[in-house]
Amino acid sequence: MSQGRILTSDNLIMPLQYLLFDVDETLYPHTSPLWPLLRGRILQYMVERVGMSPPDAEALRAEYLKKYGTTTRGLYLHNAIDMADYLDYVHDVPINTLLVNDPELNEVLSQLPFAKCLFTNATRRHALNVAASLGISQHFSRTFSLEDFDYISKPEARPYQVVLDSLGARGGDCVLIEDSVANIATGKQFGMTTILVDGDLPPSAGVVDFTVRRVHDILDVVRRLPTP
């Protein structure tokens, strides 16, 4: 198995029970065409359904992303969108033609001795479709998605609290595996151990505990962590 560069921090002593996996650009690489296609669907919705020009849609998308962590949250709060219509529109993409079975990731997940959950700002259906297309659905016991958080997105605190309450867990019981430093920062505020996927940042400021090039490379990281 190809190993990525792993950077570690000290003082990780809490026993761990749960692995919380982000979905988009975490379970699959940022070079995949899937996320750019989803982003294009968001912009297309803003033009066709909200009635914006393409430049205005792009500018507002960037503004909402910076302010709320997702464009979805901004549209929900300020543009009176029909959320069901929006989510169906944005996720109407052929995932199974863009992602393929990933036997290497399947093998990695099979060796991780923790309960595994999907934790996404996307819909449950989208998260499950991604996992199914990658051939890894069987590894995840729970899926936490946008519907569970009253359409509040990471990096806001509410999604993390919902996950912990649902699991009956503390932050220190969890490893958060993410491609977003902002999302990781909130996880760290809850006491989670954090792994940044596809990141170049060293562990710093008590936020990123580990970095790996690919999600496939988390096995060596997790094996170093204390177990219950």
Side-chain angles (χ1 to χ4, degrees):
M1 182 173 63
S2 173
Q3 298 298 322
R5 179 172 62 102
I6 301 171
L7 302 173
T8 67
S9 65
D10 298 325
N11 301 320
L12 295 173
I13 59 175
M14 294 293 293
L16 301 162
Q17 300 181 52
Y18 300 99
L19 303 181
L20 309 178
F21 288 83
D22 179 50
V23 174
D24 289 307
E25 297 193 296
T26 296
L27 293 179
Y28 61 85
H30 75 277
T31 53
S32 167
L34 177 54
W35 179 245
L37 183 58
L38 292 170
R39 185 171 61 241
R41 294 289 293 174
I42 293 172
L43 290 169
Q44 190 174 344
Y45 183 93
M46 295 171 73
V47 171
E48 292 186 2
R49 297 282 211 271
V50 183
M52 306 182 70
S53 69
D56 286 346
E58 179 58 58
L60 191 62
R61 187 196 71 83
E63 178 185 332
Y64 285 164
L65 187 64
K66 181 178 181 180
K67 186 173 182 179
Y68 299 111
T70 64
T71 309
T72 301
R73 182 63 178 166
L75 290 171
Y76 179 67
L77 290 175
H78 302 295
N79 297 91
I81 63 171
D82 180 323
M83 185 59 75
D85 176 66
Y86 168 82
L87 293 173
D88 285 344
Y89 186 103
V90 168
H91 292 103
D92 185 19
V93 296
I95 291 177
N96 61 349
T97 68
L98 300 170
L99 300 175
V100 298
N101 277 11
D102 190 335
E104 183 183 352
L105 182 54
N106 183 58
E107 177 63 20
V108 167
L109 294 173
S110 71
Q111 296 182 59
L112 293 170
F114 301 94
K116 305 168 192 71
C117 306
L118 299 174
F119 179 24
T120 179
N121 279 340
T123 64
R124 179 173 286 99
R125 184 177 70 177
H126 174 75
L128 295 176
N129 284 343
V130 167
S133 296
L134 294 171
I136 57 174
S137 300
Q138 69 274 19
H139 296 291
F140 300 100
S141 58
R142 300 283 299 273
T143 299
F144 297 100
S145 61
L146 191 62
E147 301 94 326
D148 299 310
F149 314 137
D150 296 329
Y151 303 111
I152 297 172
S153 308
K154 297 180 285 182
E156 293 296 319
R158 177 173 172 77
Y160 301 79
Q161 192 64 61
V162 168
V163 169
L164 293 177
D165 290 346
S166 298
L167 294 174
R170 303 166 301 165
D173 299 328
C174 303
V175 180
L176 178 64
I177 301 151
E178 266 275 1
D179 69 298
S180 164
V181 175
N183 293 350
I184 276 180
T186 305
K188 181 51 62 178
Q189 290 174 9
F190 279 89
M192 296 177 182
T193 298
T194 59
I195 301 177
L196 178 66
V197 175
D198 198 23
D200 294 319
L201 296 176
S204 61
V207 172
V208 178
D209 295 317
F210 304 88
T211 68
V212 295
R213 291 295 185 189
R214 307 181 306 151
V215 68
H216 308 69
D217 301 321
I218 67 173
L219 186 57
D220 284 351
V221 172
V222 176
R223 280 176 169 169
R224 301 179 192 181
L225 304 177
T227 56

